[in-house]
Structures are given as C-alpha cells and as structure tokens.
Amino acid sequence: MSTPKNRTVEARILRVNHGGEHGAIRIYRAQIALARLRAPDLLPFLTRTLAHEREHLERFRALMPTRAAKPCRLMWIWSVGGVALGGVTGVLGRKAILVCTEAVERTVHRHLDDQLAWLGERDAEMAATIHDIQQQELGHLRYAEKERGAPNGLTALLDATICIAVEALIWLSTRGDSLRLARTLRAAA
Ligand SMILES: [Fe+2]
Ligand SMILES: [Fe+2]
C-alpha cells in the first residue's frame, strides 16, 4: 500500500480523477468501436462524450504541476479495466452500453460531490474545474438514464457489477488510497 502521508489531499484527488478520466476514455473508445455494429444510434452521444472525457483528462493534468501531483503509476489498470468494461458492454449492446454509462457516471458524480464538499474555499481554481467537469458528467448520466429504458433484473445486476468494478479499479489504481481519501474528505468536509 502506498502511504498518502507525503501527498496533499489535492494531489491525491487529482491523481485519482486523472486516472478515472483515462479509464473513461478507454471505456468510450471500446464502446464506439462496437457500437458501430451493435448500437449505431448511440455513436453521436458516445463520440461527444469521448471528446468531453479527453478534455477532462487534460484539465486535471493541467492542475497537477502547481499542486505537486503526479499521474497514477498504475495507469495500465485503468487501460485494462476500461477496455474490459467498454468491450463487454459494447458486445452486449445498446442497453448494456447505457447501463454502463449510467453506473460509471453516477460513481464519478458521487466522488466529485465529496471532493467539492471538501475543497470548498480551500482551492478555488480546482473546485471551479471540478464543478465544471461535474456538470458535463451529469449530462452523460442524464442522457443514459433517459435512453436506457425501464430497468429489469439483468440491468440491475449489470449496474451493480459495474459499480463494484469501478470502485475496485479506483482502489487498485490508487493502491488502496481511495478509501482513505474518501474517509479524509468526509471527515473534514
Ligand atoms: Fe470525465
Ligand atoms: Fe463522463
């Protein structure tokens, strides 16, 4: 396990957010490749969303140097996990793609909420960036909720599995720091 002692909370937040955006890019890229056959009507949404996630990655990266933050060293975990999530849901088809978007974006939204509550006035520039990005993530979430249709047992199972997988990826890529960070954010917010 890495120790977060020598890293600021801001640096830990940026590291996990930057890694998560890397994962989101892999998910949407894999889904776009498969949606050409399985769900062509989703291509405009997926392409637009991929462009947003690339922008988010750059924006989090840009905040790193002045906050002594470094990208996560285990980025390959996000690459593998992102391609796996995007690939499996892409093969399963339209509904699975949308359930994946909803589960991923809901998880992201919750993490960003906790970060914003902690940041408050501590780092106005970072809080403004996260708030801005959160609005776009919310757009992705709302689209998926609107388009996915009525939930059923299978979609509920898929949703729960994806939520667990995303939290596991966050935990693995931060070598356990994500749980400590969540506790820190909630305790001090
Ligand atoms: Fe994003
Ligand atoms: Fe997103």
Side-chain angles (χ1 to χ4, degrees):
M1 297 281 173
S2 66
T3 102
K5 281 181 198 148
N6 48 358
R7 291 197 196 98
T8 63
V9 172
E10 288 88 338
R12 290 157 71 197
I13 290 175
L14 287 174
R15 189 176 64 144
V16 71
N17 289 7
H18 179 262
E21 298 296 352
H22 183 79
I25 289 169
R26 294 314 184 272
I27 291 174
Y28 288 114
R29 273 203 337 212
Q31 288 182 336
I32 286 170
L34 290 153
R36 291 185 205 289
L37 290 169
R38 307 283 287 132
D41 71 303
L42 289 182
L43 283 172
F45 164 72
L46 293 172
T47 308
R48 199 166 57 241
T49 304
L50 175 62
H52 289 163
E53 309 302 358
R54 286 194 165 121
E55 206 183 290
H56 301 168
L57 182 91
E58 291 310 315
R59 293 184 72 181
F60 285 130
R61 186 73 187 88
L63 292 175
M64 285 180 146
T66 48
R67 290 163 181 82
K70 290 203 176 96
C72 148
R73 273 182 294 167
L74 302 178
M75 208 67 113
W76 65 269
I77 288 177
W78 281 112
S79 301
V80 172
V83 169
L85 278 175
V88 169
T89 52
V91 167
L92 289 173
R94 187 178 194 281
K95 196 150 184 147
I97 290 174
L98 290 165
V99 169
C100 179
T101 301
E102 189 185 346
V104 169
E105 301 288 355
R106 199 188 322 112
T107 306
V108 168
H109 191 78
R110 205 178 53 242
H111 281 276
L112 298 184
D113 255 352
D114 289 347
Q115 295 169 6
L116 284 172
W118 183 86
L119 277 168
E121 305 292 307
R122 287 178 167 109
D123 186 330
E125 186 194 19
M126 191 167 146
T129 302
I130 291 180
H131 184 265
D132 213 23
I133 287 173
Q134 192 189 37
Q135 294 313 300
Q136 277 189 328
E137 309 291 21
L138 198 57
H140 307 160
L141 174 62
R142 295 286 178 252
Y143 180 90
E145 284 171 341
K146 182 166 68 74
E147 292 292 322
R148 74 155 147 65
N152 56 41
L154 271 182
T155 60
L157 182 66
L158 187 60
D159 180 282
T161 308
I162 294 168
C163 287
I164 292 168
V166 171
E167 293 293 356
L169 286 172
I170 296 173
W171 187 83
L172 279 172
S173 68
T174 59
R175 291 190 281 175
D177 187 42
S178 61
L179 290 181
R180 287 189 294 268
L181 179 60
R183 278 198 296 271
T184 305
L185 297 181
R186 288 191 190 129

